[in-house]
Amino acid sequence: MTSDRRSRADPVPGAGDARARYRRILRFAAWHLARTWWFELFLPRIGLGRIAERNRAKRMLGFAQRFRTLAVDLGGLMIKVGQFLSSRLDVLPPEITKELEGLQDEVPPVAFPAIRALAEAELGAPLEKIFSFVEETPIAAASLGQAHRAQLLPANAADAGLGSVVLKVQRPGIDAIVDVDLAALRKVGGWLSRFRVVSSRADMPALVEEFAQTSLEEIDYLREAANAERFAADFADDRRVEVPEVAWEWSTRRVLILEDVTAIKITDAEALQAAGIDPTRVAPVFASVMFEQLFTSGFFHADPHPGNIFVTPVTDSAGGRPWKLTFIDFGMMGEVPPSTRRGLRKLLIAAAARDGKGLVSAISDVGVLAPSADRAELERAMTHLFARFGGMGFAELREVDPREFVDFAVEFGDLVRSLPFQLPENFLLIIRAMSLTSGVCSALDARFNLWDAIEPYAARLLRDERGNIVQDAAQQALDTAGVALRLPKRLDRLVTRIEDGSLATANPRLERQMARLDRTVQRAGSALIFGALLVAGSLVRADDPVLGSVLMIASVAPLLHALWAGRRGP
């Protein structure tokens, strides 16, 4: 009976199914990479960028819709990829993020008989021997598993200290599905690394491996249980946070039993208000708790979407806050190394102080600033941004006259086009956590201002870091003394070069602009000749095939020149 159930519960995809899945993912990726190369790289390089811009929004929406269909059909890690894309409000257009934001809710549940079979095979006993009841309809269905509300038998409840629980079971055959998806994603990552615009800003193979490690950890429920206990220990003395307890006696790598802590979904404003809880007061507390994880403890919840956070009313608050934040689902957790954490704290303090130079220095410390970046220009841009837009929330930024952003783009056009940032390893989960945190806070309070949440936390960090002030001051004094000692010799060399007439000056920005203008003119001319020869050849070919073919072949020369001119120089 058990072996029969296990075979039905773990329908590992056959070799043919795995190959078909793998090829479908690669075909989708190859087609859209080719389209992106054509419209976003090739056409602008030959001076036809306006054609690419004309239908960009429609193309982005089409991509998102097709990816959504692919993800819902295939499930597995494709859902996870879609969720990550939907959280990247900072770099992806709204046509993509909005289309994919509800992807989690579209995951169809697995039929309960298959879930029952897998759970009983893992637990080594019929469910009736452990639970007094298990609800067959899941309370949540995700890409890697699903959860059912249950009640332990009285004797088991007494042993575990829990009554109402949640039975979390992996999707049957998910191990094989994850292996196929990761193989396809590694191949796509290799393709992306061949594009200089991508490889100069991110190590795609390393990012795919980071995603792979996180995904494999997510399908190990014993690790998730350990994560939950570690997270609970980090917030043991924090009355703002609650974490479900684990029933270790009946938990395995593929089955997890947790305390049922279901409460009000954090973004359910109507339910919060009915419970007497002001959603606008929840937002800053949630942001502060996430800051605590990222910048202090270094162990953070990397999937804080609304389905994983509850607001739990507290009846015995003793005059304090009448609710707590309850976190669930600890499968996707991140860890910030101490060196990165120091850089992030420095970045947070600089942002709160509106310190453009300090912000650039912090960005460099955490490895986000590209080595080729013009730091002086970036510092000037950050200072300008802080002076005009510093302290504004997202709602206020939406009310700013768009011409002001255009003016900024014109003044700092070279910087905006160069995008002098890169994505180091270990940042995938940090970015996801911060993106989701911002989204949840904005959903709770449309006028939520991230600066208001950052400033008190940054002030506390400053107080905590005062122990390092004397050391920093001593180091700065040594640096200043070294500069002072070297100054006379440097001045003497400068005067000598002026007297000899060998002093040269340069304006790199002007030189880059002139070089770019020269290349643009050359590309435009070559593109014009290419188009003229191609059109002439196609028209003449009907009457004179030989001459038409010669003209069309000759058009290749100006095309190659346009491409070569676009690749030269900085």
Side-chain angles (χ1 to χ4, degrees), residues 530-557:
F530 161 68
L533 289 174
L534 187 64
V535 172
S538 62
L539 292 174
V540 171
R541 200 163 185 265
D543 299 322
D544 191 338
V546 176
L547 179 59
S549 298
V550 169
L551 289 173
M552 293 177 73
I553 293 171
S555 71
V556 173

PDB file of all heavy atoms in Angstrom, residues 530-557:
ATOM      1  N   PHE A 530      24.075  51.983 -46.411  1.00  0.00           N
ATOM      2  CA  PHE A 530      23.612  50.591 -46.326  1.00  0.00           C
ATOM      3  C   PHE A 530      22.147  50.496 -46.770  1.00  0.00           C
ATOM      4  O   PHE A 530      21.771  49.655 -47.585  1.00  0.00           O
ATOM      5  CB  PHE A 530      23.794  50.094 -44.894  1.00  0.00           C
ATOM      6  CG  PHE A 530      22.961  48.883 -44.559  1.00  0.00           C
ATOM      7  CD1 PHE A 530      23.213  47.657 -45.138  1.00  0.00           C
ATOM      8  CD2 PHE A 530      21.913  48.986 -43.654  1.00  0.00           C
ATOM      9  CE1 PHE A 530      22.442  46.550 -44.829  1.00  0.00           C
ATOM     10  CE2 PHE A 530      21.140  47.888 -43.339  1.00  0.00           C
ATOM     11  CZ  PHE A 530      21.398  46.661 -43.923  1.00  0.00           C
ATOM     12  N   GLY A 531      21.312  51.359 -46.213  1.00  0.00           N
ATOM     13  CA  GLY A 531      19.888  51.321 -46.551  1.00  0.00           C
ATOM     14  C   GLY A 531      19.645  51.624 -48.016  1.00  0.00           C
ATOM     15  O   GLY A 531      18.807  50.971 -48.670  1.00  0.00           O
ATOM     16  N   ALA A 532      20.384  52.621 -48.547  1.00  0.00           N
ATOM     17  CA  ALA A 532      20.192  52.998 -49.952  1.00  0.00           C
ATOM     18  C   ALA A 532      20.568  51.848 -50.890  1.00  0.00           C
ATOM     19  O   ALA A 532      19.822  51.518 -51.831  1.00  0.00           O
ATOM     20  CB  ALA A 532      21.032  54.236 -50.273  1.00  0.00           C
ATOM     21  N   LEU A 533      21.724  51.225 -50.638  1.00  0.00           N
ATOM     22  CA  LEU A 533      22.156  50.117 -51.494  1.00  0.00           C
ATOM     23  C   LEU A 533      21.199  48.933 -51.379  1.00  0.00           C
ATOM     24  O   LEU A 533      20.881  48.266 -52.371  1.00  0.00           O
ATOM     25  CB  LEU A 533      23.574  49.686 -51.109  1.00  0.00           C
ATOM     26  CG  LEU A 533      24.697  50.660 -51.482  1.00  0.00           C
ATOM     27  CD1 LEU A 533      26.031  50.193 -50.917  1.00  0.00           C
ATOM     28  CD2 LEU A 533      24.801  50.788 -53.011  1.00  0.00           C
ATOM     29  N   LEU A 534      20.743  48.638 -50.157  1.00  0.00           N
ATOM     30  CA  LEU A 534      19.864  47.495 -49.960  1.00  0.00           C
ATOM     31  C   LEU A 534      18.526  47.711 -50.678  1.00  0.00           C
ATOM     32  O   LEU A 534      18.018  46.820 -51.384  1.00  0.00           O
ATOM     33  CB  LEU A 534      19.625  47.282 -48.459  1.00  0.00           C
ATOM     34  CG  LEU A 534      18.858  46.006 -48.071  1.00  0.00           C
ATOM     35  CD1 LEU A 534      19.655  44.776 -48.456  1.00  0.00           C
ATOM     36  CD2 LEU A 534      18.565  46.009 -46.577  1.00  0.00           C
ATOM     37  N   VAL A 535      17.946  48.904 -50.514  1.00  0.00           N
ATOM     38  CA  VAL A 535      16.667  49.194 -51.163  1.00  0.00           C
ATOM     39  C   VAL A 535      16.829  49.223 -52.688  1.00  0.00           C
ATOM     40  O   VAL A 535      16.004  48.656 -53.429  1.00  0.00           O
ATOM     41  CB  VAL A 535      16.098  50.538 -50.655  1.00  0.00           C
ATOM     42  CG1 VAL A 535      14.877  50.948 -51.472  1.00  0.00           C
ATOM     43  CG2 VAL A 535      15.727  50.431 -49.184  1.00  0.00           C
ATOM     44  N   ALA A 536      17.914  49.883 -53.145  1.00  0.00           N
ATOM     45  CA  ALA A 536      18.146  49.947 -54.595  1.00  0.00           C
ATOM     46  C   ALA A 536      18.315  48.544 -55.174  1.00  0.00           C
ATOM     47  O   ALA A 536      17.766  48.217 -56.236  1.00  0.00           O
ATOM     48  CB  ALA A 536      19.377  50.796 -54.882  1.00  0.00           C
ATOM     49  N   GLY A 537      19.070  47.707 -54.473  1.00  0.00           N
ATOM     50  CA  GLY A 537      19.286  46.343 -54.965  1.00  0.00           C
ATOM     51  C   GLY A 537      18.000  45.558 -55.048  1.00  0.00           C
ATOM     52  O   GLY A 537      17.746  44.831 -56.026  1.00  0.00           O
ATOM     53  N   SER A 538      17.139  45.691 -54.027  1.00  0.00           N
ATOM     54  CA  SER A 538      15.883  44.938 -54.031  1.00  0.00           C
ATOM     55  C   SER A 538      14.956  45.410 -55.148  1.00  0.00           C
ATOM     56  O   SER A 538      14.190  44.627 -55.715  1.00  0.00           O
ATOM     57  CB  SER A 538      15.186  45.073 -52.672  1.00  0.00           C
ATOM     58  OG  SER A 538      14.865  46.432 -52.409  1.00  0.00           O
ATOM     59  N   LEU A 539      15.004  46.726 -55.503  1.00  0.00           N
ATOM     60  CA  LEU A 539      14.169  47.251 -56.576  1.00  0.00           C
ATOM     61  C   LEU A 539      14.702  46.845 -57.951  1.00  0.00           C
ATOM     62  O   LEU A 539      13.945  46.457 -58.853  1.00  0.00           O
ATOM     63  CB  LEU A 539      14.083  48.776 -56.479  1.00  0.00           C
ATOM     64  CG  LEU A 539      13.330  49.332 -55.264  1.00  0.00           C
ATOM     65  CD1 LEU A 539      13.456  50.851 -55.227  1.00  0.00           C
ATOM     66  CD2 LEU A 539      11.855  48.934 -55.313  1.00  0.00           C
ATOM     67  N   VAL A 540      16.031  46.954 -58.124  1.00  0.00           N
ATOM     68  CA  VAL A 540      16.645  46.658 -59.423  1.00  0.00           C
ATOM     69  C   VAL A 540      16.610  45.165 -59.715  1.00  0.00           C
ATOM     70  O   VAL A 540      16.520  44.736 -60.875  1.00  0.00           O
ATOM     71  CB  VAL A 540      18.098  47.189 -59.443  1.00  0.00           C
ATOM     72  CG1 VAL A 540      18.845  46.707 -60.691  1.00  0.00           C
ATOM     73  CG2 VAL A 540      18.091  48.715 -59.386  1.00  0.00           C
ATOM     74  N   ARG A 541      16.646  44.334 -58.660  1.00  0.00           N
ATOM     75  CA  ARG A 541      16.793  42.882 -58.827  1.00  0.00           C
ATOM     76  C   ARG A 541      15.657  42.274 -59.651  1.00  0.00           C
ATOM     77  O   ARG A 541      15.841  41.267 -60.336  1.00  0.00           O
ATOM     78  CB  ARG A 541      16.838  42.236 -57.445  1.00  0.00           C
ATOM     79  CG  ARG A 541      17.452  40.842 -57.454  1.00  0.00           C
ATOM     80  CD  ARG A 541      17.843  40.455 -56.021  1.00  0.00           C
ATOM     81  NE  ARG A 541      18.526  39.188 -56.029  1.00  0.00           N
ATOM     82  CZ  ARG A 541      17.926  38.012 -55.813  1.00  0.00           C
ATOM     83  NH1 ARG A 541      16.627  37.985 -55.586  1.00  0.00           N
ATOM     84  NH2 ARG A 541      18.619  36.888 -55.830  1.00  0.00           N
ATOM     85  N   ALA A 542      14.481  42.917 -59.587  1.00  0.00           N
ATOM     86  CA  ALA A 542      13.358  42.367 -60.356  1.00  0.00           C
ATOM     87  C   ALA A 542      13.628  42.419 -61.855  1.00  0.00           C
ATOM     88  O   ALA A 542      13.237  41.516 -62.599  1.00  0.00           O
ATOM     89  CB  ALA A 542      12.081  43.142 -60.025  1.00  0.00           C
ATOM     90  N   ASP A 543      14.308  43.500 -62.324  1.00  0.00           N
ATOM     91  CA  ASP A 543      14.597  43.652 -63.755  1.00  0.00           C
ATOM     92  C   ASP A 543      15.988  43.161 -64.112  1.00  0.00           C
ATOM     93  O   ASP A 543      16.210  42.664 -65.221  1.00  0.00           O
ATOM     94  CB  ASP A 543      14.457  45.122 -64.161  1.00  0.00           C
ATOM     95  CG  ASP A 543      13.039  45.641 -63.937  1.00  0.00           C
ATOM     96  OD1 ASP A 543      12.098  44.868 -64.190  1.00  0.00           O
ATOM     97  OD2 ASP A 543      12.900  46.804 -63.502  1.00  0.00           O
ATOM     98  N   ASP A 544      16.956  43.332 -63.219  1.00  0.00           N
ATOM     99  CA  ASP A 544      18.345  42.942 -63.482  1.00  0.00           C
ATOM    100  C   ASP A 544      18.872  42.184 -62.269  1.00  0.00           C
ATOM    101  O   ASP A 544      19.435  42.778 -61.343  1.00  0.00           O
ATOM    102  CB  ASP A 544      19.197  44.184 -63.757  1.00  0.00           C
ATOM    103  CG  ASP A 544      20.572  43.818 -64.295  1.00  0.00           C
ATOM    104  OD1 ASP A 544      21.018  42.670 -64.067  1.00  0.00           O
ATOM    105  OD2 ASP A 544      21.209  44.700 -64.923  1.00  0.00           O
ATOM    106  N   PRO A 545      18.684  40.856 -62.243  1.00  0.00           N
ATOM    107  CA  PRO A 545      19.075  40.073 -61.064  1.00  0.00           C
ATOM    108  C   PRO A 545      20.548  40.225 -60.700  1.00  0.00           C
ATOM    109  O   PRO A 545      20.896  40.272 -59.528  1.00  0.00           O
ATOM    110  CB  PRO A 545      18.743  38.629 -61.464  1.00  0.00           C
ATOM    111  CG  PRO A 545      17.699  38.766 -62.525  1.00  0.00           C
ATOM    112  CD  PRO A 545      18.051  40.018 -63.273  1.00  0.00           C
ATOM    113  N   VAL A 546      21.431  40.305 -61.725  1.00  0.00           N
ATOM    114  CA  VAL A 546      22.865  40.377 -61.440  1.00  0.00           C
ATOM    115  C   VAL A 546      23.200  41.686 -60.747  1.00  0.00           C
ATOM    116  O   VAL A 546      23.844  41.706 -59.695  1.00  0.00           O
ATOM    117  CB  VAL A 546      23.670  40.224 -62.748  1.00  0.00           C
ATOM    118  CG1 VAL A 546      25.164  40.400 -62.452  1.00  0.00           C
ATOM    119  CG2 VAL A 546      23.407  38.863 -63.377  1.00  0.00           C
ATOM    120  N   LEU A 547      22.773  42.828 -61.349  1.00  0.00           N
ATOM    121  CA  LEU A 547      23.074  44.128 -60.757  1.00  0.00           C
ATOM    122  C   LEU A 547      22.424  44.260 -59.374  1.00  0.00           C
ATOM    123  O   LEU A 547      23.029  44.779 -58.433  1.00  0.00           O
ATOM    124  CB  LEU A 547      22.581  45.247 -61.687  1.00  0.00           C
ATOM    125  CG  LEU A 547      22.808  46.681 -61.161  1.00  0.00           C
ATOM    126  CD1 LEU A 547      24.288  46.950 -60.915  1.00  0.00           C
ATOM    127  CD2 LEU A 547      22.228  47.704 -62.150  1.00  0.00           C
ATOM    128  N   GLY A 548      21.177  43.773 -59.257  1.00  0.00           N
ATOM    129  CA  GLY A 548      20.489  43.853 -57.966  1.00  0.00           C
ATOM    130  C   GLY A 548      21.235  43.093 -56.888  1.00  0.00           C
ATOM    131  O   GLY A 548      21.402  43.582 -55.766  1.00  0.00           O
ATOM    132  N   SER A 549      21.699  41.891 -57.244  1.00  0.00           N
ATOM    133  CA  SER A 549      22.445  41.084 -56.266  1.00  0.00           C
ATOM    134  C   SER A 549      23.747  41.762 -55.878  1.00  0.00           C
ATOM    135  O   SER A 549      24.155  41.750 -54.711  1.00  0.00           O
ATOM    136  CB  SER A 549      22.722  39.687 -56.839  1.00  0.00           C
ATOM    137  OG  SER A 549      21.500  39.015 -57.106  1.00  0.00           O
ATOM    138  N   VAL A 550      24.450  42.362 -56.883  1.00  0.00           N
ATOM    139  CA  VAL A 550      25.712  43.055 -56.597  1.00  0.00           C
ATOM    140  C   VAL A 550      25.482  44.213 -55.620  1.00  0.00           C
ATOM    141  O   VAL A 550      26.236  44.411 -54.665  1.00  0.00           O
ATOM    142  CB  VAL A 550      26.362  43.568 -57.901  1.00  0.00           C
ATOM    143  CG1 VAL A 550      27.525  44.512 -57.587  1.00  0.00           C
ATOM    144  CG2 VAL A 550      26.848  42.398 -58.746  1.00  0.00           C
ATOM    145  N   LEU A 551      24.414  45.003 -55.869  1.00  0.00           N
ATOM    146  CA  LEU A 551      24.121  46.128 -54.975  1.00  0.00           C
ATOM    147  C   LEU A 551      23.804  45.661 -53.553  1.00  0.00           C
ATOM    148  O   LEU A 551      24.244  46.253 -52.567  1.00  0.00           O
ATOM    149  CB  LEU A 551      22.947  46.938 -55.534  1.00  0.00           C
ATOM    150  CG  LEU A 551      23.226  47.756 -56.792  1.00  0.00           C
ATOM    151  CD1 LEU A 551      21.930  48.377 -57.330  1.00  0.00           C
ATOM    152  CD2 LEU A 551      24.258  48.862 -56.499  1.00  0.00           C
ATOM    153  N   MET A 552      23.030  44.570 -53.448  1.00  0.00           N
ATOM    154  CA  MET A 552      22.671  44.066 -52.129  1.00  0.00           C
ATOM    155  C   MET A 552      23.895  43.520 -51.403  1.00  0.00           C
ATOM    156  O   MET A 552      24.059  43.723 -50.192  1.00  0.00           O
ATOM    157  CB  MET A 552      21.584  42.990 -52.254  1.00  0.00           C
ATOM    158  CG  MET A 552      20.245  43.552 -52.762  1.00  0.00           C
ATOM    159  SD  MET A 552      18.973  42.297 -52.995  1.00  0.00           S
ATOM    160  CE  MET A 552      18.579  41.927 -51.286  1.00  0.00           C
ATOM    161  N   ILE A 553      24.779  42.831 -52.135  1.00  0.00           N
ATOM    162  CA  ILE A 553      26.006  42.325 -51.511  1.00  0.00           C
ATOM    163  C   ILE A 553      26.901  43.485 -51.093  1.00  0.00           C
ATOM    164  O   ILE A 553      27.516  43.477 -50.015  1.00  0.00           O
ATOM    165  CB  ILE A 553      26.751  41.372 -52.473  1.00  0.00           C
ATOM    166  CG1 ILE A 553      25.911  40.097 -52.692  1.00  0.00           C
ATOM    167  CG2 ILE A 553      28.132  41.029 -51.946  1.00  0.00           C
ATOM    168  CD1 ILE A 553      26.438  39.191 -53.783  1.00  0.00           C
ATOM    169  N   ALA A 554      26.963  44.525 -51.946  1.00  0.00           N
ATOM    170  CA  ALA A 554      27.803  45.691 -51.635  1.00  0.00           C
ATOM    171  C   ALA A 554      27.325  46.412 -50.381  1.00  0.00           C
ATOM    172  O   ALA A 554      28.107  47.085 -49.698  1.00  0.00           O
ATOM    173  CB  ALA A 554      27.820  46.649 -52.820  1.00  0.00           C
ATOM    174  N   SER A 555      26.023  46.283 -50.063  1.00  0.00           N
ATOM    175  CA  SER A 555      25.506  46.979 -48.878  1.00  0.00           C
ATOM    176  C   SER A 555      26.112  46.438 -47.589  1.00  0.00           C
ATOM    177  O   SER A 555      26.032  47.075 -46.533  1.00  0.00           O
ATOM    178  CB  SER A 555      23.985  46.862 -48.824  1.00  0.00           C
ATOM    179  OG  SER A 555      23.590  45.542 -48.512  1.00  0.00           O
ATOM    180  N   VAL A 556      26.718  45.229 -47.672  1.00  0.00           N
ATOM    181  CA  VAL A 556      27.325  44.641 -46.468  1.00  0.00           C
ATOM    182  C   VAL A 556      28.494  45.499 -45.973  1.00  0.00           C
ATOM    183  O   VAL A 556      28.733  45.624 -44.764  1.00  0.00           O
ATOM    184  CB  VAL A 556      27.780  43.190 -46.752  1.00  0.00           C
ATOM    185  CG1 VAL A 556      28.560  42.627 -45.571  1.00  0.00           C
ATOM    186  CG2 VAL A 556      26.577  42.320 -47.072  1.00  0.00           C
ATOM    187  N   ALA A 557      29.247  46.105 -46.898  1.00  0.00           N
ATOM    188  CA  ALA A 557      30.431  46.885 -46.516  1.00  0.00           C
ATOM    189  C   ALA A 557      30.071  48.062 -45.597  1.00  0.00           C
ATOM    190  O   ALA A 557      30.646  48.203 -44.501  1.00  0.00           O
ATOM    191  CB  ALA A 557      31.160  47.366 -47.763  1.00  0.00           C
TER     192      ALA A 557
END
